[in-house]
Amino acid sequence: MTGFKGDLKDFSVAQLLNLVHLSQKSGSLFLDSEGRRIRFSFRNGRLAYARPEHEKNDLVDILRPGGRVELQRQVEIRKRLETSSELEVGLELAMEGVISRQTILECIREYSVEVLRQTFAWDEGTFEFINEDHPPQGRILLSMPLDDPITLGITHLNEQELLLKEIPTLDVELVFTDQLKGIDPQINLTGQEWQLISNINTRQTLAAIGEQTNLNEHELRRAASRLIQAGIIEIRQTADSQAAGTAEEGKAKEVKKSKFSFPLFHKSNPK
């Protein structure tokens, strides 16, 4: 089976999706980065399957968010999955009236979009597309157009460029602003932003905070940028950070040159 492979430094995930979409390809795209492996499978340019490999991601994990299935049912479903496939269990649950087929597909779609969203931040690692490679048997499959995910990916690339300009290096310290009396309870902070705030008083660099919280570079920059805009924190520059910032700005230009020069236009009405 033929296909193509390469490095995520040269092609973004959004660009790879666009290629699959425009070519109406069928097969599987494997992404590998920092010990994680994600598998996306496509049928005629539409997303059919999106799951992390070698990680627990069964039907229970997909249905749990939003309380779609109560705890007692979750235990029962997991027991069924020991002897039956995901597809068989899903059909049984729908026939028994536990949860509708439409809701099951909606949950899988939301889960798949979230898996895609996480990979948009990957700029290190490798990819491989294998033509006519089918999803694992027994899974519930989608037939999802790629228009919205591609648009989301392009938005991410644009955001990445802006964040690199605002925070060129992670070798900076963050401090609370002098006028801050306390965090306004009306500000709705994300979990990542709270993680960042809880580590500010330790006088660590943004890079060190990332190592402790397992946030990637894009997540760190995005959380810090929002907190800066809210007037909660500010960046404290050092001699080392200024030198590192100059190097990172050069790197950002290379990222822009390599990733933004690739055509990102896509069909508005996929077949």
Side-chain angles (χ1 to χ4, degrees), residues 14-262:
Q15 291 165 348
L16 295 172
L17 291 179
N18 195 50
L19 178 59
V20 171
H21 172 56
L22 290 175
S23 304
Q24 301 289 285
K25 285 185 172 294
S26 295
S28 293
L29 175 65
F30 295 90
L31 304 179
D32 292 274
S33 179
E34 298 182 351
R36 294 196 69 198
R37 182 174 175 85
I38 306 291
R39 176 179 184 164
F40 300 109
S41 295
F42 307 89
R43 287 180 177 174
N44 300 319
R46 299 168 75 95
L47 182 66
Y49 177 86
R51 305 280 177 94
E53 298 273 275
H54 312 304
E55 292 183 19
K56 185 178 180 181
N57 47 78
D58 62 22
L59 190 59
V60 174
D61 297 310
I62 294 173
L63 297 178
R64 183 183 294 116
R68 261 94 169 206
V69 178
E70 58 187 24
L71 182 59
Q72 185 175 353
R73 283 286 189 183
Q74 292 176 21
V75 175
E76 177 189 334
I77 294 170
R78 183 150 281 153
K79 190 171 183 178
R80 290 192 192 186
L81 288 169
E82 294 176 359
T83 55
S84 302
S85 71
E86 177 182 285
L87 179 59
E88 291 171 334
V89 173
L91 290 172
E92 290 172 0
L93 293 175
M95 291 178 63
E96 294 167 7
V98 175
I99 187 171
S100 69
R101 293 177 64 177
Q102 181 178 353
T103 301
I104 292 175
L105 288 174
E106 179 184 327
C107 290
I108 293 176
R109 184 183 185 283
E110 290 175 357
Y111 176 87
S112 300
V113 169
E114 177 58 23
V115 172
L116 271 171
R117 188 194 64 78
Q118 292 177 13
T119 63
F120 289 143
W122 291 12
D123 56 8
E124 292 186 359
T126 60
F127 65 84
E128 181 177 14
F129 186 89
I130 302 176
N131 286 327
E132 302 302 331
D133 183 73
H134 303 294
Q137 292 185 348
R139 297 287 192 164
I140 300 173
L141 303 180
L142 302 170
S143 181
M144 189 174 81
L146 290 175
D147 293 69
D148 289 344
I150 290 172
T151 301
L152 182 64
I154 294 171
T155 301
H156 174 87
L157 286 175
N158 292 334
E159 180 186 46
Q160 184 181 43
E161 181 189 7
L162 293 174
L163 289 174
L164 280 169
K165 288 181 179 179
E166 182 180 4
I167 309 175
T169 175
L170 299 183
D171 293 321
V172 294
E173 294 181 2
L174 301 176
V175 295
F176 289 110
T177 55
D178 293 336
Q179 65 270 27
L180 183 67
K181 305 283 186 194
I183 297 177
D184 187 342
Q186 299 300 318
I187 297 178
N188 185 22
L189 299 181
T190 67
Q192 294 175 353
E193 290 158 3
W194 280 115
Q195 283 182 290
L196 209 58
I197 286 176
S198 65
N199 285 278
I200 287 178
N201 286 331
T202 59
R203 296 201 61 171
Q204 297 184 98
T205 63
L206 198 51
I209 293 175
E211 292 179 2
Q212 291 192 356
T213 59
N214 290 322
L215 297 178
N216 61 43
E217 290 190 13
H218 183 79
E219 292 168 338
L220 285 168
R221 284 188 170 94
R222 183 173 56 192
S225 175
R226 189 167 183 270
L227 293 171
I228 291 170
Q229 293 174 20
I232 296 174
I233 65 172
E234 59 187 10
I235 291 176
R236 176 162 53 197
Q237 294 285 356
T238 64
D240 290 340
S241 68
Q242 289 173 353
T246 301
E248 288 293 332
E249 285 175 358
K251 177 182 175 183
K253 290 179 181 178
E254 288 300 316
V255 169
K256 180 179 179 181
K257 180 179 178 182
S258 63
K259 292 194 172 184
F260 288 82
S261 59
F262 189 89

